[in-house]
Amino acid sequence: MTPAAVGFQCPDCVAAGRAATKAQVSTQASGRPFVTYALAGICVAVYLIGLLAGQDDRMILDYALHPNSVAYDDEWYRLMTAVFLHASLLHILFNMYVLVVLGPTLERILGHGRYLVLFLLAGLGGSVASFAFSAPTTRSVGASGAIFGLMGALLVAGRRLKYDVTQVAVLIGINIVIGFLPGAGVDWRAHLGGLVTGAAAAAVMIMPDGRRKVGMEILGLVVIVAAVTAVAAWRSAQFPVIGI
């Protein structure tokens, strides 16, 4: 087993998960999975810019998810910017590895636009879960919430399109369990939040019969966004008012 920012990755499980989802299906996108590569490129570029400029610690200080800053300073952008920041070389290597292994298959299934929406929504869901249930002074970064969302989406999509997703389920289970072990150093809240949000988004993007129903899809995504927003608002209201 290899320690990773998204928990622990079993290389055999990752490879099997990728192979298990390559069945022949009617896909929505053809050609190269450029959205997956673009997302990975953005994460790598942000990491390198901070590293080469000697501002990596400053970027984490200013843009990492930090509940106190979100609640008291209205820095809500941190819920999204934290997704594209990484704390170390090992952190970004493992997150980007899982992204480029699992992302292309899901991008072909959903299409480029839906896949991008899924990634961003799962990342937001993971950040909101971390904001809602972490200590107020915690700082967290990484794309692992979004990546867990891709895992959840791949599980839902695979089942509805009659794929064998056993290994994907194993991969998810391993990472969830490892996230709760003492000293693991991973944000299990973001992982679970991203997983649930990504699975829910995939459930409304792909109907049980595999067909598209745009109206229901839009309504479902609106409901998911509203639910995520409600959780963030609820958590913000828990912070005590600081007198002037």
Side-chain angles (χ1 to χ4, degrees):
M1 304 301 291
T2 307
V6 291
F8 278 63
Q9 298 303 329
C10 166
D12 292 337
C13 292
V14 173
R18 174 173 55 182
T21 58
K22 286 189 174 179
Q24 294 296 320
V25 297
S26 176
T27 57
Q28 296 296 313
S30 58
R32 299 179 68 82
F34 63 83
V35 175
T36 296
Y37 297 148
L39 291 169
I42 292 171
C43 290
V44 171
V46 169
Y47 178 76
L48 290 178
I49 289 171
L51 187 65
L52 295 177
Q55 296 294 313
D56 46 334
D57 289 339
R58 186 72 218 180
M59 289 174 68
I60 290 178
L61 187 65
D62 290 342
Y63 298 105
L65 176 61
H66 182 237
N68 272 343
S69 295
V70 174
Y72 289 129
D73 300 326
D74 288 330
E75 295 179 355
W76 295 96
Y77 59 83
R78 289 176 179 266
L79 295 174
M80 231 29 260
T81 55
V83 175
F84 296 94
L85 291 172
H86 290 83
S88 67
L89 180 61
L90 186 64
H91 188 188
I92 192 168
L93 283 178
F94 275 102
N95 273 353
M96 295 306 99
Y97 169 67
V98 181
L99 175 60
V100 298
V101 166
L102 298 183
T105 296
L106 195 56
E107 185 172 349
R108 285 191 290 268
I109 293 172
L110 296 177
H112 305 303
R114 285 181 172 88
Y115 173 76
L116 178 59
V117 169
L118 171 70
F119 181 92
L120 296 177
L121 189 54
L124 179 62
S127 290
V128 168
S130 184
F131 168 59
F133 302 109
S134 294
T137 56
T138 301
R139 293 186 187 277
S140 57
V141 296
S144 55
I147 291 171
F148 261 77
L150 300 187
M151 293 182 191
L154 198 55
L155 185 63
V156 170
R159 287 183 62 85
R160 290 194 167 179
L161 297 174
K162 311 303 182 184
Y163 291 2
D164 179 3
V165 292
T166 302
Q167 297 297 339
V168 178
V170 170
L171 177 63
I172 293 172
I174 289 173
N175 281 278
I176 289 176
V177 171
I178 293 298
F180 285 97
L181 294 181
V186 296
D187 189 352
W188 59 266
R189 302 163 187 82
H191 293 178
L192 291 181
L195 178 68
V196 171
T197 306
V204 301
M205 287 179 176
I206 301 177
M207 296 296 107
D209 58 7
R211 294 183 297 176
R212 301 285 186 201
K213 296 181 180 178
V214 178
M216 292 183 63
E217 180 177 345
I218 293 174
L219 178 60
L221 292 176
V222 168
V223 170
I224 293 171
V225 172
V228 170
T229 302
V231 172
W234 165 80
R235 175 53 171 161
S236 182
Q238 306 306 306
F239 284 74
V241 176
I242 299 179
I244 297 177

